Amino acid sequence: MSNTVIRWGIIGTGAMASQFADELLMHSDASLSAVASSCANRADAFAKKKGCFDSHNYEQLLDRQDIDAIYIASTNDKHFELAMNCIEREKPCLVEKPICTSLSDLDTLITTVRKKGVFCMEAMWMLFFPAIINLKRSLEVIGPIENIDVSFCIDVPYKPNHRLYSPALGGGALFDIGIYPLTFVRYLLGLEVDKMECNLSFAPTGTDDEGTIVLTYKQDVTAHLYYSLKTAKPHRAVITGQYGTVTIEDFFHPSSMTHVLKSGEVKTYRYCYASMGYNYEIDEVHRALKNSAKESDIMPLSTSYEILSFMLTILSKSHQKILL
């Protein structure tokens, strides 16, 4: 690894890969060295668009010795295989969520990561934003949490071959967007719940396209999560405490939060960042690599395992009210 600049390779050429590449190009401690795709033409077009002239297939990229880290932004069904290929070649990797779609795969990946001693992290960029990092401390003003309402809803017209609706590609709304409200609630309350009620709807292909989840904790603390591919609504989190509320717009990449206290006091905190804000998770990877850390303290693989396990429980228990 170079001492100052981390040289990145990107696997995938979709929208997230494009945004991530733009962040790398603006980052003072990063460079985009190469891109890979299962389609040579897509890789070549992506590389030229980003000013990176090296495009490869997967194997060629993984075999390069002059790349320090790899960002995996393929379709969900390829995350496990590609991450394993990175780890086996001792290539640190940042893997888009969901890092895996089965617990057995994630078990294998975690075991291999720890055996090889190679850095690997799921790309839950939300947790690295300054607003989220400061959230727990700022919640002290509203007192003990009583309820959380959080939603992530977008309108993606149904097409059976779309990656979000394709079982073969690891599709489903929970894996791609429902994971954000779930991770947000876990960050504040954990996932050791007394009761879970879930109601999911499914597209004709069999993948979930909408869900409502109610989690009940001890002392009657509740969390209401809503996600959908069928309607566009604000991406909003509202945290209600004993003395007031905190509202966070675009909670998965927030730039502000507003406190409204029962006393009548209203205060808004703003956080400025360049472009989309992928730079914060890039910084986390850089910090880990430069300090020889094998996992992130903020998003360790144990957290990925806990969240995936909970998502799979939700999917298996959909349309039911269950007591955990």
Side-chain angles (χ1 to χ4, degrees), residues 235-260:
H235 308 133
R236 178 180 295 141
V238 180
I239 306 160
T240 302
Q242 185 176 353
Y243 309 119
T245 63
V246 172
T247 299
I248 309 174
E249 302 292 345
D250 289 327
F251 71 93
F252 68 107
H253 64 148
S255 57
S256 67
M257 66 174 73
T258 299
H259 294 189
V260 179

Short mmCIF file of all heavy atoms in Angstrom, two decimals, residues 235-260:
data_model
loop_
_atom_site.label_atom_id
_atom_site.label_comp_id
_atom_site.label_asym_id
_atom_site.label_seq_id
_atom_site.Cartn_x
_atom_site.Cartn_y
_atom_site.Cartn_z
N HIS A 235 -37.49 10.92 3.00
CA HIS A 235 -36.69 9.97 3.78
C HIS A 235 -36.44 10.61 5.14
O HIS A 235 -35.49 11.37 5.31
CB HIS A 235 -35.37 9.67 3.06
CG HIS A 235 -35.55 9.25 1.64
ND1 HIS A 235 -34.80 9.78 0.62
CD2 HIS A 235 -36.40 8.38 1.07
CE1 HIS A 235 -35.17 9.22 -0.53
NE2 HIS A 235 -36.14 8.38 -0.27
N ARG A 236 -37.28 10.26 6.09
CA ARG A 236 -37.31 11.04 7.32
C ARG A 236 -37.27 10.12 8.55
O ARG A 236 -37.87 9.05 8.56
CB ARG A 236 -38.59 11.87 7.37
CG ARG A 236 -38.79 12.69 8.63
CD ARG A 236 -40.08 13.49 8.55
NE ARG A 236 -40.03 14.48 7.49
CZ ARG A 236 -41.05 14.78 6.70
NH1 ARG A 236 -42.20 14.14 6.81
NH2 ARG A 236 -40.92 15.70 5.76
N ALA A 237 -36.56 10.59 9.58
CA ALA A 237 -36.57 9.92 10.87
C ALA A 237 -37.02 10.92 11.93
O ALA A 237 -36.52 12.05 11.97
CB ALA A 237 -35.18 9.40 11.22
N VAL A 238 -37.98 10.52 12.74
CA VAL A 238 -38.48 11.35 13.84
C VAL A 238 -38.30 10.57 15.14
O VAL A 238 -38.87 9.49 15.30
CB VAL A 238 -39.95 11.74 13.65
CG1 VAL A 238 -40.42 12.61 14.82
CG2 VAL A 238 -40.16 12.48 12.33
N ILE A 239 -37.53 11.12 16.03
CA ILE A 239 -37.23 10.47 17.31
C ILE A 239 -37.95 11.26 18.40
O ILE A 239 -37.72 12.46 18.57
CB ILE A 239 -35.72 10.45 17.58
CG1 ILE A 239 -34.98 9.82 16.41
CG2 ILE A 239 -35.42 9.71 18.88
CD1 ILE A 239 -33.52 10.18 16.35
N THR A 240 -38.84 10.59 19.10
CA THR A 240 -39.62 11.24 20.15
C THR A 240 -39.09 10.82 21.52
O THR A 240 -38.95 9.63 21.80
CB THR A 240 -41.10 10.87 20.05
OG1 THR A 240 -41.59 11.25 18.76
CG2 THR A 240 -41.92 11.58 21.12
N GLY A 241 -38.81 11.83 22.33
CA GLY A 241 -38.34 11.57 23.69
C GLY A 241 -39.28 12.18 24.71
O GLY A 241 -40.31 12.76 24.36
N GLN A 242 -38.92 12.10 25.94
CA GLN A 242 -39.76 12.58 27.02
C GLN A 242 -39.97 14.09 26.96
O GLN A 242 -41.04 14.60 27.33
CB GLN A 242 -39.13 12.21 28.36
CG GLN A 242 -39.96 12.55 29.59
CD GLN A 242 -39.31 12.07 30.87
OE1 GLN A 242 -38.32 11.35 30.85
NE2 GLN A 242 -39.88 12.45 32.01
N TYR A 243 -38.98 14.82 26.42
CA TYR A 243 -39.05 16.27 26.45
C TYR A 243 -39.16 16.91 25.07
O TYR A 243 -39.16 18.14 24.96
CB TYR A 243 -37.81 16.85 27.15
CG TYR A 243 -37.55 16.23 28.50
CD1 TYR A 243 -36.37 15.55 28.76
CD2 TYR A 243 -38.50 16.32 29.52
CE1 TYR A 243 -36.13 14.98 30.00
CE2 TYR A 243 -38.27 15.74 30.77
CZ TYR A 243 -37.08 15.07 31.00
OH TYR A 243 -36.85 14.50 32.22
N GLY A 244 -39.27 16.11 24.01
CA GLY A 244 -39.38 16.70 22.69
C GLY A 244 -39.03 15.72 21.59
O GLY A 244 -38.98 14.50 21.82
N THR A 245 -38.78 16.25 20.39
CA THR A 245 -38.49 15.41 19.23
C THR A 245 -37.25 15.90 18.50
O THR A 245 -36.88 17.07 18.57
CB THR A 245 -39.66 15.39 18.23
OG1 THR A 245 -39.86 16.72 17.71
CG2 THR A 245 -40.95 14.90 18.86
N VAL A 246 -36.64 14.97 17.80
CA VAL A 246 -35.57 15.28 16.85
C VAL A 246 -36.01 14.75 15.49
O VAL A 246 -36.36 13.58 15.36
CB VAL A 246 -34.23 14.64 17.25
CG1 VAL A 246 -33.19 14.83 16.14
CG2 VAL A 246 -33.71 15.25 18.54
N THR A 247 -36.00 15.62 14.48
CA THR A 247 -36.37 15.23 13.13
C THR A 247 -35.15 15.34 12.22
O THR A 247 -34.46 16.37 12.23
CB THR A 247 -37.50 16.12 12.58
OG1 THR A 247 -38.66 15.98 13.41
CG2 THR A 247 -37.86 15.72 11.15
N ILE A 248 -34.90 14.28 11.46
CA ILE A 248 -33.76 14.25 10.54
C ILE A 248 -34.27 13.95 9.15
O ILE A 248 -34.80 12.86 8.88
CB ILE A 248 -32.73 13.18 10.96
CG1 ILE A 248 -32.35 13.33 12.43
CG2 ILE A 248 -31.49 13.27 10.08
CD1 ILE A 248 -31.46 12.22 12.93
N GLU A 249 -34.15 14.92 8.25
CA GLU A 249 -34.51 14.70 6.86
C GLU A 249 -33.36 13.99 6.15
O GLU A 249 -32.20 14.21 6.46
CB GLU A 249 -34.81 16.03 6.16
CG GLU A 249 -35.92 16.85 6.81
CD GLU A 249 -37.30 16.20 6.69
OE1 GLU A 249 -37.45 15.27 5.87
OE2 GLU A 249 -38.22 16.63 7.42
N ASP A 250 -33.72 13.14 5.18
CA ASP A 250 -32.70 12.37 4.45
C ASP A 250 -31.74 11.71 5.44
O ASP A 250 -30.52 11.85 5.35
CB ASP A 250 -31.92 13.25 3.47
CG ASP A 250 -32.78 13.67 2.28
OD1 ASP A 250 -33.65 12.88 1.87
OD2 ASP A 250 -32.58 14.78 1.78
N PHE A 251 -32.31 10.97 6.37
CA PHE A 251 -31.55 10.44 7.51
C PHE A 251 -30.40 9.55 7.09
O PHE A 251 -29.45 9.36 7.85
CB PHE A 251 -32.49 9.65 8.43
CG PHE A 251 -32.96 8.33 7.85
CD1 PHE A 251 -32.28 7.16 8.11
CD2 PHE A 251 -34.06 8.29 7.01
CE1 PHE A 251 -32.69 5.95 7.56
CE2 PHE A 251 -34.48 7.09 6.45
CZ PHE A 251 -33.79 5.92 6.73
N PHE A 252 -30.42 9.00 5.86
CA PHE A 252 -29.35 8.09 5.45
C PHE A 252 -28.14 8.84 4.90
O PHE A 252 -27.08 8.25 4.73
CB PHE A 252 -29.87 7.07 4.43
CG PHE A 252 -30.24 7.64 3.09
CD1 PHE A 252 -29.44 7.42 1.98
CD2 PHE A 252 -31.39 8.39 2.93
CE1 PHE A 252 -29.78 7.94 0.74
CE2 PHE A 252 -31.75 8.91 1.69
CZ PHE A 252 -30.94 8.69 0.59
N HIS A 253 -28.29 10.12 4.62
CA HIS A 253 -27.13 10.99 4.37
C HIS A 253 -27.52 12.41 4.79
O HIS A 253 -27.63 13.31 3.98
CB HIS A 253 -26.63 10.92 2.92
CG HIS A 253 -27.60 11.41 1.90
ND1 HIS A 253 -27.20 12.02 0.74
CD2 HIS A 253 -28.95 11.40 1.85
CE1 HIS A 253 -28.25 12.36 0.01
NE2 HIS A 253 -29.32 11.99 0.67
N PRO A 254 -27.68 12.61 6.10
CA PRO A 254 -28.28 13.85 6.61
C PRO A 254 -27.32 15.02 6.65
O PRO A 254 -26.13 14.88 6.91
CB PRO A 254 -28.69 13.45 8.04
CG PRO A 254 -27.69 12.42 8.43
CD PRO A 254 -27.38 11.65 7.16
N SER A 255 -27.90 16.19 6.39
CA SER A 255 -27.12 17.43 6.51
C SER A 255 -27.66 18.34 7.59
O SER A 255 -27.10 19.42 7.83
CB SER A 255 -27.11 18.18 5.17
OG SER A 255 -28.43 18.46 4.74
N SER A 256 -28.76 17.92 8.25
CA SER A 256 -29.30 18.74 9.33
C SER A 256 -30.19 17.90 10.24
O SER A 256 -30.64 16.82 9.86
CB SER A 256 -30.12 19.91 8.77
OG SER A 256 -31.30 19.44 8.13
N MET A 257 -30.41 18.40 11.45
CA MET A 257 -31.38 17.81 12.37
C MET A 257 -32.02 18.93 13.16
O MET A 257 -31.38 19.95 13.46
CB MET A 257 -30.73 16.77 13.28
CG MET A 257 -29.73 17.30 14.26
SD MET A 257 -29.12 16.02 15.41
CE MET A 257 -28.06 15.07 14.34
N THR A 258 -33.31 18.77 13.46
CA THR A 258 -34.05 19.81 14.15
C THR A 258 -34.60 19.28 15.47
O THR A 258 -35.27 18.24 15.49
CB THR A 258 -35.22 20.33 13.28
OG1 THR A 258 -34.69 20.89 12.08
CG2 THR A 258 -36.00 21.40 14.02
N HIS A 259 -34.31 19.98 16.55
CA HIS A 259 -34.83 19.66 17.87
C HIS A 259 -36.04 20.55 18.15
O HIS A 259 -35.96 21.76 18.02
CB HIS A 259 -33.78 19.92 18.95
CG HIS A 259 -32.59 19.03 18.85
ND1 HIS A 259 -31.61 18.99 19.84
CD2 HIS A 259 -32.19 18.14 17.92
CE1 HIS A 259 -30.67 18.12 19.51
NE2 HIS A 259 -31.01 17.61 18.33
N VAL A 260 -37.14 19.95 18.52
CA VAL A 260 -38.32 20.70 18.95
C VAL A 260 -38.68 20.22 20.35
O VAL A 260 -39.10 19.07 20.53
CB VAL A 260 -39.52 20.49 18.00
CG1 VAL A 260 -40.73 21.27 18.49
CG2 VAL A 260 -39.17 20.92 16.58
#
